Amino acid sequence: SVFYTVEPDEEAVVLRFGRYVNTTQPGLHFKLPFGIDDAVKVKTKRVFVEEFGFRTRSAEGRRTTYSKKSFDAESLMLTGDLNVADVEWTVHYQISEPQKYLFQTRSPIKNIRDISEAIMRRVAGDMLVNDVLTVGRVELALNVKVLMQEIFDRYNLGINVVTVKLQDVNPPE
């Protein structure tokens, strides 16, 4: 209970009696025993993905398969010219500050999903449907990434948005 190892793709947040003390880098470290210090490991080098409008079922060693369930509630968007577009996208992010990620919010994944969906609706709502479906896709993704990062920084979530990728943009069925 005195030593702990932090893997190369993670950092450890050290808590003393439940209060933040410091963040340790990869390697072998010492902590106070008997529950005085606790090390919470967070994968900071890994890029996490959140999917909107579709879900991927993980299949090791096989072709990627997608869930047949409909996620229209999160992917249908009203554009600036009052048309509807079915926008599917992914948000790739990293945890940049583990102590903020752990302690600034109760459910960071839910916050990421809610903020991403709200920003995508806002930016798509300012564009014409033809731009969303064709030439404005790159601009849409870039604007969403910038606005998401601004909100994450304002809320001190400790998250860095790596990229926002539009998977499929179509008119609704």
Side-chain angles (χ1 to χ4, degrees):
S1 70
V2 176
F3 295 101
Y4 65 97
T5 303
V6 180
E7 298 297 324
D9 66 338
E10 58 191 18
E11 294 178 15
V13 175
V14 179
L15 307 173
R16 182 164 294 145
F17 297 117
R19 179 165 287 185
Y20 173 75
V21 177
N22 66 348
T23 303
T24 58
Q25 299 300 316
L28 183 63
H29 298 280
F30 172 79
K31 67 177 180 155
L32 296 176
F34 308 118
I36 296 171
D37 280 357
D38 189 25
V40 179
K41 298 175 186 176
V42 179
K43 302 277 187 189
T44 56
K45 306 298 187 266
R46 176 185 274 171
V47 176
F48 297 96
V49 178
E50 287 296 320
E51 300 171 333
F52 298 86
F54 69 101
R55 298 292 185 277
T56 305
R57 288 190 276 173
S58 60
E60 297 295 324
R62 295 189 318 202
R63 285 182 36 180
T64 303
T65 58
Y66 298 97
S67 174
K68 295 187 186 321
K69 186 177 171 190
S70 176
F71 296 96
D72 288 341
E74 62 189 24
S75 65
L76 290 177
M77 311 269 164
L78 186 64
T79 60
D81 57 354
L82 301 179
N83 285 311
V84 178
D86 188 8
V87 181
E88 296 176 352
W89 75 98
T90 60
V91 175
H92 300 256
Y93 66 94
Q94 281 184 306
I95 301 168
S96 58
E97 298 178 62
Q99 74 279 8
K100 289 181 179 179
Y101 180 79
L102 290 173
F103 302 122
Q104 287 298 108
T105 181
R106 180 172 297 184
S107 55
I109 303 300
K110 182 171 177 5
N111 289 343
I112 292 168
R113 294 192 65 81
D114 290 346
I115 290 169
S116 177
E117 192 173 334
I119 295 296
M120 183 62 77
R121 289 184 190 286
R122 175 180 163 193
V123 174
D126 291 340
M127 299 176 75
L128 300 175
V129 72
N130 288 339
D131 292 341
V132 172
L133 295 173
T134 57
V135 295
R137 292 173 55 136
V138 174
E139 179 186 353
L140 174 68
L142 183 63
N143 289 342
V144 168
K145 178 185 179 220
V146 169
L147 291 171
M148 280 180 62
Q149 190 62 57
E150 287 176 7
I151 291 176
F152 290 160
D153 292 344
R154 191 176 317 141
Y155 290 159
N156 287 325
L157 294 182
I159 294 169
N160 180 32
V161 179
V162 176
T163 185
V164 174
K165 292 184 180 178
L166 294 178
Q167 298 295 327
D168 200 12
V169 181
N170 294 313
E173 292 179 12

